[in-house]
Amino acid sequence: FIAENIREGISDKEKEKVLIESLVEDLRLDQKYLQGQSNYFSDKLQQLDSLTTLLNSKDKITNTNDFYYYGRLATRYTVFVLNTGAIDEIKNSGGLRLIRKKGVSKKIIEYYNQIPIIKDYETRLMGIDDSYRKIFIDIIDPAVLQSMSLKNGIGLNRPTDNPPLRNYSKDDMSKLYGYLAYMHILRKVISGQEVDLEAKGKKLLTLIQNEYHLEKE
């Protein structure tokens, strides 16, 4: 019985070591991804600000080149996806019982508990994006929008001139501005959540490396 317990103890330690090393790799990849997200949100918020400036103008929009361009970019969004292979394996292996160091397991829970919060904000943002698109498509000329798309569907061309809008209604412009303001708020909140997650991930990495005497990059 004692020998069996010793064998199980060794086995659990080996599993813990493998899972921790896998988790560290995921966290390192997350750090690179979240750093890229920070740059992405910085650019996105600037684009939304440019469109807001146009909509705030008291005069009829004449710079329709920017309106088409920034208006189309407004709903382009990269879905938040982290590397969860290691934490999924930890859950499938019996939860966090294999992580013997309680301080580490607590910080792991805190880190991964933030993901559903970000995904919830994402869901709200997608709903606002859809409402924005319905108004935007009533204002612009769909033919111009189609001409802006690249063949691979990834990039976006600016119009070659200032093509006219199909609708200059103040009511529609006001609704568009309202959705745009909400989009700006939600993107800022998500960006803040991801910055916080990046900081937590960095601290978690340092904690794990110190507790398990792992090499630092």
Side-chain angles (χ1 to χ4, degrees):
F1 175 75
I2 293 172
E4 184 63 28
N5 280 347
I6 292 172
R7 281 195 295 273
E8 286 181 2
I10 294 172
S11 177
D12 283 350
K13 286 182 180 179
E14 289 173 347
K15 287 179 183 177
E16 181 187 23
K17 182 174 182 294
V18 171
L19 290 172
I20 285 294
E21 288 174 349
S22 179
L23 183 66
V24 165
E25 184 60 29
D26 277 359
L27 290 171
R28 284 172 176 164
L29 291 173
D30 287 350
Q31 286 290 297
K32 292 177 182 178
Y33 168 76
L34 289 168
Q35 287 163 12
Q37 283 288 93
S38 179
N39 295 330
Y40 161 79
F41 273 108
S42 177
D43 291 342
K44 178 58 68 177
L45 291 172
Q46 285 181 12
Q47 293 165 6
L48 294 178
D49 285 341
S50 296
L51 185 56
T52 299
T53 300
L54 285 173
L55 288 169
N56 270 334
S57 174
K58 295 179 181 178
D59 301 323
K60 179 180 175 181
I61 294 175
T62 56
N63 185 3
T64 58
N65 187 295
D66 278 355
F67 185 83
Y68 273 97
Y69 184 67
Y70 291 121
R72 178 66 185 88
L73 284 176
T75 55
R76 291 212 161 189
Y77 185 74
T78 57
V79 178
F80 174 74
V81 180
L82 285 191
N83 298 277
T84 59
I87 191 65
D88 290 341
E89 182 60 29
I90 288 172
K91 291 176 181 177
N92 292 335
S93 299
L96 290 168
R97 70 172 185 80
L98 292 173
I99 311 300
R100 293 171 296 121
K101 299 180 185 296
K102 299 303 179 184
V104 173
S105 62
K106 179 182 177 182
K107 292 300 178 184
I108 290 173
I109 291 171
E110 287 179 8
Y111 179 80
Y112 286 100
N113 276 352
Q114 194 156 342
I115 294 177
I117 296 173
I118 296 174
K119 298 300 287 184
D120 179 61
Y121 280 118
E122 249 191 0
T123 301
R124 297 188 209 177
L125 176 60
M126 289 176 182
I128 297 299
D129 281 358
D130 286 342
S131 297
Y132 167 94
R133 288 189 189 96
K134 291 174 183 177
I135 302 294
F136 185 66
I137 200 66
D138 284 340
I139 294 173
I140 54 90
D141 182 348
V144 175
L145 198 65
Q146 188 174 13
S147 69
M148 293 167 61
S149 298
L150 298 180
K151 289 182 179 179
N152 60 13
I154 298 174
L156 194 67
N157 285 322
R158 274 182 176 272
T160 55
D161 52 7
N162 281 300
L165 302 179
R166 191 157 54 101
N167 172 10
Y168 288 88
S169 164
K170 288 185 178 180
D171 185 51
D172 282 347
M173 292 294 182
S174 179
K175 289 178 182 177
L176 196 70
Y177 175 76
Y179 287 125
L180 183 65
Y182 203 175
M183 288 159 62
H184 192 287
I185 292 169
L186 284 172
R187 277 177 168 79
K188 204 165 184 178
V189 169
I190 294 171
S191 176
Q193 287 284 329
E194 292 189 10
V195 167
D196 184 54
L197 187 64
E198 182 186 348
K200 284 182 179 177
K202 184 179 284 188
K203 289 180 181 178
L204 178 56
L205 261 175
T206 300
L207 177 64
I208 291 173
Q209 288 162 343
N210 291 337
E211 290 288 336
Y212 290 89
H213 310 292
L214 302 176
E215 290 186 11
K216 298 180 181 180
E217 281 192 342

